[in-house]
């Protein structure tokens, strides 16, 4: 593999590494399986614990159907039915607003005596008792603000008695009472208990299933409770916009209480609707009663006038035939008056119709013709229907046009019938007058006072007939008030859906599992985000284009040098692979001098240099390792050899060339091809000494005698000494230690590549975990 091919492969692998690697991500999570296990156990435990304290709410539903007819009673007691399909949507919306009113909910809660919350002190978490679970029922007459800061403890003493103890909040200044938190007062069921915080009494529940003997009572503001139910728990909606079906849903933890609340809401709604519907009828009854009172007074006055007139004029002595003639005359006069009144009514109806009054109804009172009465009633009914439709539809609506056509036809028929009825009445009036003229002569014998009496009697008769008529209509209106007719039908009574329990146990467990996975994942990614250390090869490849030549496994043995017999270890195989990579990558470059450096101390330069020298020497190559880190000279000790008297510093600074290369060479035992040169005993200036002519001579001689030269140099991050060695090296290996080197230090090797400070820079990743 050529250098170009190697660099291309490195860049290709780097580009592929930028793609999402699911397997690598899974392996990252798998390494932290203990963290996932801890969070899984913790969150499942928390979920199970939370389910013990959270009350489960159920969906309780009911369904009602609004009737399409609304009945009203007019002033005459007639039942007028208004079928208006176009106002259905508006009507349903109005009824929903009524059902969701806080006032209606308050009435329901008050009827169920929910002003008090009763629990058992031993239950944890606290669960409210209701219905058959309660041994008694608290009926509240009056509650004062102090009641909401008072807690009662009720003990059952016997079959008919109980005792009450009170506890007040510390901040409340309570007037002295007969009972307090220091003791109990004993009462019987039904006894009215009067306290500074309220007036109430207890009723025994004979069907109670509770076996407890002590209970805790807390009073609640019924208005706030009703508001909370309406705003938070109650949901009323239309099932279908084209239908009049309303669905009522309530969320409640106690199914029995929820069903009672919904059923009570529907019942209260029916009562309210019934009262509103009969309000008009009640007003009509009141009006008729007032009119009856007036007529009764007038009738009494007329009767008194008759009696007074007879007494004053002694009409009781009139001859029998005069009375007979008078009676006949009265009969004809009444018929004549009735006919004339009817004729006037017919003329009035005819004038109104011909005048073009198409908006008003026609009064059919005193009309004797059944056919004409039928036509007038049909005309009035169509007028009422037309006025009802005018509220919701335009005038050009087909239904409105049809009604107007029918009204026109009925108007023509009524006019024709009126003409016939008037002719018949005129003939009748003429006949009555003729008959009346026959008795004219006979009436001359009747005193004029008798005529006055008859006129008074006629007025009396008219008022009596009107009084009886109003009495009949009042009874009809009263019967309509007493007859209850709901404007809705209950389709389904309150039913509890036990499958809708919330919060769901499955959901709780699922959330716990998701959190147990999400939080560790977040911790892992946050740790990666905040980490400033190099963890692996990908961190290096993301921050520099310098290729990674190889990875050195973590040294588990604790030894600084690989010994014989350890060639199969992961550490030894890593150095062998490093040697092969060098041969492949730089085979045509004739690499002979390799510089080993790093950013800071402790990244394994000396460890790598010594073991790399052993790996190269094992291939029959002659290798020398130079110790040129003047701040941390540990190479000779790492190789297990004793330091010589002379080293590089002595060689470079000798005045008379008395020290030769052989004098500073240190052969490594058990390895005939491996040699080392120590730093020496004198301190040197790296920039001056490494750039000297003597250094050039040393490097030239070593190139002739050795196949490979490894230079263990000082860290490049803080010292400039290493840069002076760049002209002697063929390759620069930059040491990066996993979990030790900083990510920001990778910019140093990138700077070396960009500015070409060393030839063939490459990265060696040291201390990589075998996991």
């Amino acid at each position: 593999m050529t250098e170009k091919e190697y660099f291309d492969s490195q860049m290709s692998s780097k580009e592929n590494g930028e793609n999402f690697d699911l397997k690598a991500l899974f392996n990252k999570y798998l390494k932290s399986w203990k963290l996932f296990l801890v969070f899984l156990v913790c969150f499942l435990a928390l979920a199970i614990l939370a389910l013990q304290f959270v009350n489960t709410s159920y969906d309780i539903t009911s369904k009602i159907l609004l009737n399409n007819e609304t009945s009203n009673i007019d002033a005459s007691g007639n039942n007028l039915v208004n079928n208006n399909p176009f106002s259905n949507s508006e009507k349903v919306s109005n009824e929903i607003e009524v059902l969701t009113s806080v006032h209606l909910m308050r009435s329901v809660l008050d009827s169920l005596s929910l002003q008090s919350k009763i629990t058992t002190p031993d239950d944890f978490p606290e669960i409210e008792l209701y219905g058959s679970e309660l041994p008694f029922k608290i009926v509240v007459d009056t509650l004062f603000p102090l009641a909401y800061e008072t807690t009662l403890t009720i003990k059952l003493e016997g079959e008919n008695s109980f005792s009450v103890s009170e506890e007040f909040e510390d901040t409340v200044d309570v007037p002295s009472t007969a009972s307090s938190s220091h003791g109990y007062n004993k009462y019987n069921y039904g006894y009215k208990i009067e306290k500074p915080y309220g007036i109430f009494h207890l009723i025994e529940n004979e069907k109670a299933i509770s076996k407890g003997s002590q209970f805790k009572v807390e009073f609640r503001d019924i208005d706030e409770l009703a508001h909370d139910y309406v705003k938070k728990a109650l949901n009323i909606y239309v099932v279908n916009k084209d239908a009049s079906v309303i669905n009522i849903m309530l969320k409640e933890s106690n199914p029995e209480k929820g069903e009672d609340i919904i059923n009570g809401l529907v019942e209260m709604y029916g009562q309210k609707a019934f009262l509103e519907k009969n309000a008009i009828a009640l007003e009509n009854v009141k009006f008729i009663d007032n009119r009856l009172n007036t007529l009764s007074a007038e009738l009494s006055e007329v009767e008194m006038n008759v009696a007074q007139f007879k007494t004053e004029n002694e009409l009781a002595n009139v001859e029998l035939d005069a009375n007979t003639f008078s009676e006949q005359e009265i009969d004809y006069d009444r018929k004549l008056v009735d006919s004339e009144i009817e004729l006037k009514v017919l003329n009035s109806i005819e004038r109104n119709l011909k005048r073009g009054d198409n908006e008003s109804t026609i009064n059919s009172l005193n009309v004797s013709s059944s056919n004409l009465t039928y036509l007038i009633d049909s005309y009035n009914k169509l007028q009422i229907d037309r006025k009802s439709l005018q509220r919701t539809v335009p005038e050009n609506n087909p239904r409105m046009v049809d009604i107007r056509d029918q009204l026109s036809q009925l108007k023509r028929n009524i006019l024709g019938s009126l003409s016939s009825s008037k002719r018949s009445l005129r003939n009748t009036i003429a006949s009555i007058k003729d008959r009346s003229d026959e008795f004219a002569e006979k009436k001359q014998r009747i005193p004029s006072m008798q005529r006055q009496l008859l006129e008074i009697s006629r007025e009396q008769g008219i008022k009596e007939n009107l009084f009886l008529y109003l009495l009949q209509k009042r009874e009809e209106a009263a019967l309509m008030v007493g007859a209850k007719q709901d404007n809705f039908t209950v389709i389904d009574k309150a039913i509890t859906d036990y499958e809708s329990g919330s919060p769901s146990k499955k959901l709780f467990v699922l959330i716990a599992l998701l959190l147990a996975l999400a939080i560790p994942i977040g911790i892992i990614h946050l740790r990666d985000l905040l980490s400033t250390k190099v963890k692996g090869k990908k961190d290096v490849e993301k921050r520099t284009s310098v290729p990674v030549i190889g990875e050195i496994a973590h040294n588990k043995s604790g030894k600084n040098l690989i010994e014989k017999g350890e060639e199969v270890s992961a550490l030894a195989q890593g150095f062998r692979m490093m040697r092969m990579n060098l041969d492949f990558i730089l085979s045509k470059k004739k690499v002979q001098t390799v510089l080993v450096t790093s950013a800071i101390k402790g990244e394994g330069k000396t460890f790598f240099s010594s073991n790399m020298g052993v790996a190269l020497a094992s291939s029959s190559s002659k290798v020398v390792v130079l110790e040129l880190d003047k701040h941390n000279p540990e190479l000779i000790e790492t190789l297990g050899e004793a330091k010589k008297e002379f080293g590089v510093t002595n060689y470079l600074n000798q005045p008379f060339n008395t020290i030769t290369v052989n004098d500073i060479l240190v052969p490594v035992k058990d390895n005939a091809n491996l040699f080392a040169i120590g730093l020496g005993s004198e301190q040197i200036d790296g920039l001056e000494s490494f750039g000297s002519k003597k250094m050039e001579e040393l490097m030239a001689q070593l190139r002739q005698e050795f196949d490979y030269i490894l230079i263990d140099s000082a860290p490049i991050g803080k010292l400039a000494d290493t840069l002076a060695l760049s002209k002697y090296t063929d390759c620069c290996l930059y040491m990066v230690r996993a979990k030790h080197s900083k990510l920001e230090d990778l910019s140093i090797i990138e700077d070396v590549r960009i500015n070409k400070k060393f030839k063939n820079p490459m990265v060696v990743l040291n201390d990589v975990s075998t996991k």
Side-chain angles (χ1 to χ4, degrees), residues 93-112:
S93 299
N94 293 337
E95 299 307 315
I96 289 177
E97 292 299 321
V98 174
L99 283 167
T100 54
S101 64
V102 176
H103 176 74
L104 186 63
M105 178 59 72
R106 190 198 185 283
S107 301
V108 174
L109 300 180
D110 192 34
S111 66
L112 296 175

Side-chain angles (χ1 to χ4, degrees), residues 101-134:
S101 64
V102 176
H103 176 74
L104 186 63
M105 178 59 72
R106 190 198 185 283
S107 301
V108 174
L109 300 180
D110 192 34
S111 66
L112 296 175
S113 299
L114 293 180
Q115 297 96 329
S116 57
K117 176 183 177 183
I118 304 175
T119 58
T120 54
D122 298 332
D123 286 344
F124 188 78
E126 188 179 86
I127 299 176
E128 181 181 1
L129 302 179
Y130 180 80
S132 58
E133 299 174 339
L134 290 172

Side-chain angles (χ1 to χ4, degrees), residues 415-432:
L415 289 174
S417 181
L418 282 173
S419 178
S420 300
S421 298
K422 287 170 61 179
R423 286 195 299 270
S424 177
L425 278 174
R426 290 191 184 98
N427 293 334
T428 301
I429 291 172
S431 176
I432 292 174

Side-chain angles (χ1 to χ4, degrees), residues 24 30 57 79 188 204 222 246 257 291 296 367 389 433-434 461 475 538 556 573 640 652 661 674 687 701 762:
L30 190 61
S57 297
N79 185 27
N188 292 327
E204 185 179 10
I222 196 72
I246 296 177
K257 181 170 75 172
R291 186 65 184 137
S296 178
V367 176
L389 284 177
K433 287 182 177 181
D434 292 337
E475 290 301 318
K538 287 188 177 181
K556 297 180 180 179
Q573 292 297 325
L652 296 178
V661 173
L674 181 60
L687 287 176
Q701 184 175 352
M762 285 175 279

Side-chain angles (χ1 to χ4, degrees), residues 607-632:
F607 173 77
F608 176 81
S609 300
S610 56
N611 285 282
M612 192 62 194
V614 173
L616 292 172
S618 63
S619 62
S620 301
S621 298
K622 195 174 180 181
V623 182
V624 62
V625 185
L626 275 63
E627 185 181 53
L628 298 183
D629 185 356
K630 64 179 182 179
H631 296 280
N632 191 27

